[in-house]
Amino acid sequence: MQTAVQIPHDVSYLDYKGKYRGIFSWIFSTDHKRIGLLYMYSMMSLFLVGVMLGLAMKLELIAPGRTIMGPQAYNAVFTVHGVIMIFMIVIPGLPAVFGNFMLPIMIGAKDVAFPKLNLLSWYIYVLGALLVISSVLFGNGIPDTGWTFYAPYSFKTGTNLLPAIFGAFVLGFSSILTGLNFIVTIHRMRCPGMTWFKMPLFPWTLYGTAWIQLLATPVVGITLVLVALERIFGIGVFDPALGGDPILYQHLFWIYSHPAVYVMILPAMGAISEIIPTFSQKHIFGYKAIIASTLAIAFVGYFVWGHHMFTSGMSGTAQYTFSILTFIVAIPSAIKVFNWISTMHQGSINPDIPFLWAVTFIFVFMIGGFSGLVLGALATNVYVHDTAFVVAHFHFIVFGGVGFAFFGAIHYWFPKMFGRMYDKVWAKVGWAFFTIGFLTLYSPMFYLGMMGMPRRYYDYLPEFHAANILSTLGSWVMTFGLLIIIINLFRSARNGAIAPMNPWNGKTLEWTVPSPPPVENFDEVPVYGEKDGPYEY
Amino acid sequence: MEHVTQHSEPHYDQEASKLGMWLFIFTELLLFGGLFIVYSIYRFLNPVAFEMAGHELNMTIGAINTIILLVSSMTIAMSTSALQKKDKKLTVYLLVITIILAIVFLINKYFEWGVKFDHGIWPGSEHLINDMGKGEILFFGLYFVMTGLHALHIIIGMIVIIVALNKVQKGTVNADRPSLLENAGLYWHLVDLIWIFLFPLFYLIH
């Protein structure tokens, strides 16, 4: 593959001295790499808050009855945990951090199409996060509706819900602008010779994601505005007392929020599709099938929202239809898993840290996916609806899927981002603790759900005690692993061994620039020849 | 902020900004799309009440406002053509006319809403909740939300046009770099288009 001439002595984006100094050289920077890191640091701080809230919930559930908090506090904790984790971490997650950092480099561009808009998106993100946090700190009572803000409780509750709703709205705006930026970047800024079907898979999944962000987010935006107006003025659209229909809220909410699940998982799949060929030293199996399945997920994902509402009151026809569509959307995910496994087949596998994360991703994603089919089937759904089973499924996909992919991606791209290598022994220890803890934390919930333990209660019947103890122990092991991972990465970003340009022998464009990349990424615009491709081993 | 990342060649891609604007317009359409869905569902459920409540609206003011917006769409389209012909003065005039028309639209809207308030009709008002049926409550709730959100878009559109006007005067938006004005025009057409749907839905369908 022919690429740009490298100038290793060029100034890296980390050392570049612009007009501003200190923190201002970051928060006024329109460099996509710095913005990516800004997102990463803000998300990391919020993530730790979310993790602590999760730990508090698990601690409460270590024994029946009141352990450390009462019902109202528990409601507030799961609400804030959900809002932070969903709207501030997993939805922006991979696109905002690795999309910003890697997308322009992977397609051979100097930056995204609209760098200032990109920085503005980060400011909007921070504003949204602050708004949500302000709902916790001020006003009378922390929001207690759950992250779904279901009507009519969301405008009847006396807690301070308005800032949380507006915060979620503002965060959606940030998401839309990032998506818009990425679509235009991918359309307009691919390097010469990089046709659509020579583009690496991570940018492809970002492309699919960006369309979902763009087309689904406005719907939830207006829905949240309507809830806020319902709260302030009483316009009546979701209030049964005034003629409105609360079920309509659920429809509008899930029209966005189900596709949002694919906003979370598609870039995660993209990162896995980068890691696996690199560590198998082999061309990705079924490149076009992966692209097609990405677009199929993005498309079919729009039409499955009703499976969140099987018990809310829908016609039988609607229920069958949504159930069948839900089964259909599982097919492209299965195609991807098949392709990843086939890529490994007869490859020369290098079982390094990112690869470990990638294979554990496939493992937990498959458990999450199959339990999703249990929920997508009407009969079983009615049985386990709103139980711990749903919580387990959801966390296997969103934390297991997206989280494992995120950690895989950060261990994969870390040497490129910071120019240093992390301590691999500690990284493996962290991975082991995290994986064991994760499985111990969430697997018992499948059992608990099947036995009938409802979600979102601070209390439970005595017969659920044993499994809950196991789950709480798992949460401690997982958090211990998480701390090892984060501390290791933080220390290595400063003091790790200097990383080479291409530590994993990757073939995509980001491995052809120095680590860390220079300010303008490429000294000369790279050119893809006839026979070049992203995975030519 | 350009100094932070000094790109060796300043990046100007007219196609990219136009594509970005179109994508943004999609999101706006979906934002209002959500409201149109809510409207059609409740209209379907309360056909009689929606028809009765529709009679309360002043069709004349609505029609005048429709004409105003259509003319303003024309003037902003003409301003783009004037810019292409490098007639800066005409461009500025046409943009000023567009802004004036937008202000007239808002004044009409103000009086229209004012009359409703005088009759004791606003979201959550006692008159509405105690004396009217649920269909009417929904109709007026949606009327205020949708026309209010549209008026907010008129204001945003005006701000964008004022920024474009300022840059045309400075010369940073010119025949070679017309993106900002063209995008302002696209946005204004969107605002116009949404009104073209709002007007029949609330005022005309009987």
Side-chain angles (χ1 to χ4, degrees):
Chain A
M1 188 169 68
Q2 66 185 105
T3 44
V5 182
Q6 273 108 45
I7 302 184
H9 301 295
D10 206 349
V11 187
S12 90
Y13 80 102
L14 287 170
D15 300 327
Y16 179 70
K17 298 274 181 274
K19 191 186 173 198
Y20 302 96
R21 290 284 170 271
I23 191 168
F24 295 107
S25 70
W26 287 85
I27 62 173
F28 291 151
S29 170
T30 53
D31 184 343
H32 66 99
K33 301 179 282 298
R34 290 201 165 199
I35 294 172
L37 290 191
L38 282 177
Y39 271 113
M40 191 167 82
Y41 294 132
S42 4
M43 275 178 207
M44 201 61 88
S45 332
L46 290 161
F47 180 64
L48 289 177
V49 177
V51 167
M52 278 189 267
L53 293 169
L55 277 176
M57 274 188 279
K58 287 323 297 184
L59 188 57
E60 166 59 35
L61 292 179
I62 199 171
R66 186 192 164 103
T67 316
I68 56 166
M69 59 179 114
Q72 184 62 31
Y74 189 80
N75 290 353
V77 168
F78 74 64
T79 302
V80 180
H81 170 83
V83 172
I84 289 183
M85 290 301 204
I86 298 278
F87 291 110
M88 300 178 206
I89 294 157
V90 273
I91 289 181
L94 281 115
V97 178
F98 301 112
N100 262 320
F101 199 107
M102 289 299 166
L103 169 67
I105 309 184
M106 289 177 95
I107 62 172
K110 290 183 173 176
D111 208 319
V112 293
F114 309 115
K116 286 183 193 169
L117 188 70
N118 201 17
L119 182 64
L120 179 69
S121 311
W122 180 74
Y123 276 98
I124 296 176
Y125 171 83
V126 172
L127 176 71
L130 290 177
L131 271 169
V132 172
I133 292 167
S134 75
S135 75
V136 176
L137 300 178
F138 309 105
N140 43 347
I142 303 169
D144 59 348
T145 56
W147 72 277
T148 48
F149 305 124
Y150 263 17
Y153 188 59
S154 52
F155 49 83
K156 295 285 183 203
T157 175
T159 52
N160 191 20
L161 204 68
L162 272 183
I165 290 178
F166 277 121
F169 177 80
V170 171
L171 286 165
F173 207 63
S174 160
S175 176
I176 288 175
L177 292 179
T178 304
L180 188 155
N181 220 335
F182 284 2
I183 292 180
V184 177
T185 307
I186 291 171
H187 270 275
R188 298 293 303 167
M189 299 180 77
R190 279 170 291 131
C191 67
M194 186 185 278
T195 56
W196 281 96
F197 289 112
K198 284 183 179 175
M199 194 162 70
L201 288 164
F202 185 57
W204 258 112
T205 51
L206 289 173
Y207 186 69
T209 307
W211 274 106
I212 308 177
Q213 285 176 308
L214 209 66
L215 297 182
T217 319
V219 180
V220 83
I222 193 66
T223 310
L224 293 176
V225 168
L226 286 175
V227 169
L229 293 173
E230 190 78 73
R231 238 182 121 78
I232 304 170
F233 299 114
I235 50 171
V237 285
F238 300 133
D239 189 349
L242 300 177
D245 183 0
I247 304 291
L248 184 60
Y249 172 84
Q250 295 187 18
H251 278 290
L252 289 169
F253 180 81
W254 289 115
I255 284 175
Y256 162 74
S257 296
H258 195 80
V261 179
Y262 301 110
V263 170
M264 305 169 193
I265 199 72
L266 279 181
M269 291 169 159
I272 299 299
S273 306
E274 295 296 333
I275 295 173
I276 286 184
T278 304
F279 286 83
S280 307
Q281 291 293 296
K282 192 162 159 269
H283 188 283
I284 184 108
F285 182 87
Y287 170 81
K288 284 194 178 169
I290 293 185
I291 294 170
S293 59
T294 300
L295 299 179
I297 291 176
F299 181 71
V300 183
Y302 277 105
F303 306 107
V304 299
W305 78 85
H307 65 215
H308 295 268
M309 303 168 56
F310 283 152
T311 60
S312 303
M314 269 198 303
S315 74
T317 318
Q319 289 185 327
Y320 306 141
T321 315
F322 280 123
S323 179
I324 290 167
L325 286 167
T326 306
F327 277 91
I328 289 175
V329 84
I331 295 171
S333 309
I335 291 175
K336 280 189 189 325
V337 172
F338 178 79
N339 283 323
W340 293 326
I341 306 288
S342 305
T343 306
M344 290 180 220
H345 179 63
Q346 290 195 335
S348 73
I349 288 176
N350 165 20
D352 220 322
I353 317 285
F355 186 76
L356 293 180
W357 282 106
V359 286
T360 25
F361 164 89
I362 297 177
F363 177 68
V364 292
F365 178 72
M366 276 171 59
I367 296 177
F370 283 127
S371 59
L373 292 181
V374 174
L375 290 166
L378 274 175
T380 40
N381 178 289
V382 173
Y383 181 68
V384 292
H385 196 95
D386 255 342
T387 65
F389 190 93
V390 178
V391 182
H393 157 71
F394 182 73
H395 283 83
F396 260 89
I397 292 286
V398 167
F399 196 20
V402 183
F404 278 68
F406 191 95
F407 288 122
I410 199 165
H411 285 94
Y412 179 54
W413 280 311
F414 186 89
K416 179 58 61 192
M417 294 166 90
F418 294 95
R420 288 175 186 274
M421 185 55 88
Y422 43 84
D423 185 323
K424 288 190 180 179
V425 177
W426 279 113
K428 265 184 199 158
V429 173
W431 164 78
F433 272 102
F434 187 89
T435 307
I436 293 165
F438 177 88
L439 293 172
T440 324
L441 164 56
Y442 295 112
S443 307
M445 287 193 189
F446 282 126
Y447 164 78
L448 286 168
M450 282 309 227
M451 301 309 289
M453 179 176 148
R455 66 197 282 218
R456 294 185 166 177
Y457 281 86
Y458 82 116
D459 192 7
Y460 51 82
L461 297 173
E463 62 254 40
F464 301 135
H465 196 182
N468 268 302
I469 294 178
L470 191 64
S471 176
T472 306
L473 287 177
S475 75
W476 298 340
V477 177
M478 191 187 76
T479 312
F480 183 64
L482 188 67
L483 288 178
I484 294 177
I485 294 164
I486 291 176
I487 292 169
N488 182 30
L489 290 179
F490 253 96
R491 288 188 40 183
S492 309
R494 288 167 178 273
N495 308 319
I498 300 292
M501 190 166 76
N502 190 357
W504 318 117
N505 194 22
K507 292 291 183 188
T508 34
L509 282 178
E510 76 270 29
W511 305 112
T512 63
V513 297
S515 311
V519 179
E520 295 218 311
N521 302 342
F522 300 95
D523 208 47
E524 258 175 47
V525 178
V527 177
Y528 256 36
E530 278 285 310
K531 292 192 174 153
D532 293 332
Y535 308 108
E536 296 300 334
Y537 286 96
Chain B
M1 269 180 270
E2 258 100 54
H3 349 182
V4 185
T5 48
Q6 267 151 353
H7 293 267
S8 40
E9 60 224 56
H11 183 74
Y12 178 77
D13 184 349
Q14 199 178 330
E15 283 295 311
S17 20
K18 200 175 266 180
L19 178 59
M21 194 62 210
W22 274 107
L23 293 174
F24 187 70
I25 285 175
F26 284 173
T27 71
E28 291 278 12
L29 286 177
L30 280 153
L31 186 87
F32 277 94
L35 284 171
F36 284 130
I37 287 176
V38 174
Y39 174 92
S40 17
I41 288 168
Y42 288 134
R43 171 132 210 152
F44 177 75
L45 294 175
N46 309 282
V48 181
F50 268 53
E51 193 183 329
M52 298 297 284
H55 285 298
E56 302 258 329
L57 298 180
N58 188 332
M59 209 199 291
T60 319
I61 297 192
I64 292 172
N65 264 350
T66 310
I67 294 165
I68 288 173
L69 276 192
L70 285 173
V71 174
S72 75
S73 253
M74 184 182 75
T75 53
I76 199 160
M78 285 164 73
S79 79
T80 317
S81 306
L83 190 73
Q84 277 163 2
K85 290 182 178 154
K86 301 189 176 166
D87 191 341
K88 191 166 149 184
K89 210 170 171 187
L90 184 60
T91 312
V92 170
Y93 278 141
L94 286 164
L95 286 176
V96 171
I97 294 173
T98 312
I99 294 166
I100 291 171
L101 288 171
I103 293 170
V104 175
F105 177 93
L106 287 177
I107 292 171
N108 280 344
K109 197 91 247 165
Y110 169 81
F111 282 113
E112 211 186 346
W113 276 32
V115 171
K116 290 278 156 307
F117 287 163
D118 288 343
H119 292 174
I121 297 175
W122 62 85
S125 72
E126 279 179 24
H127 173 57
L128 196 59
I129 288 174
N130 296 335
D131 308 335
M132 290 197 183
K134 288 180 177 173
E136 277 90 351
I137 297 176
L138 286 172
F139 180 88
F140 284 110
L142 285 169
Y143 166 76
F144 281 109
V145 171
M146 291 172 84
T147 56
L149 194 65
H150 179 258
L152 184 69
H153 278 76
I154 294 267
I155 294 169
I156 296 168
M158 278 167 64
I159 295 170
V160 177
I161 295 172
I162 290 170
V163 171
L165 174 65
N166 191 16
K167 298 219 168 174
V168 169
Q169 272 177 330
K170 275 194 207 155
T172 47
V173 168
N174 50 46
D176 297 325
R177 298 175 72 104
S179 288
L180 184 67
L181 182 62
E182 282 181 2
N183 284 343
L186 277 178
Y187 190 78
W188 193 251
H189 294 321
L190 165 86
V191 174
D192 187 14
L193 183 74
I194 290 168
W195 179 257
I196 297 297
F197 281 90
L198 289 180
F199 176 58
L201 284 182
F202 283 105
Y203 295 76
L204 295 186
I205 304 179
H206 288 317

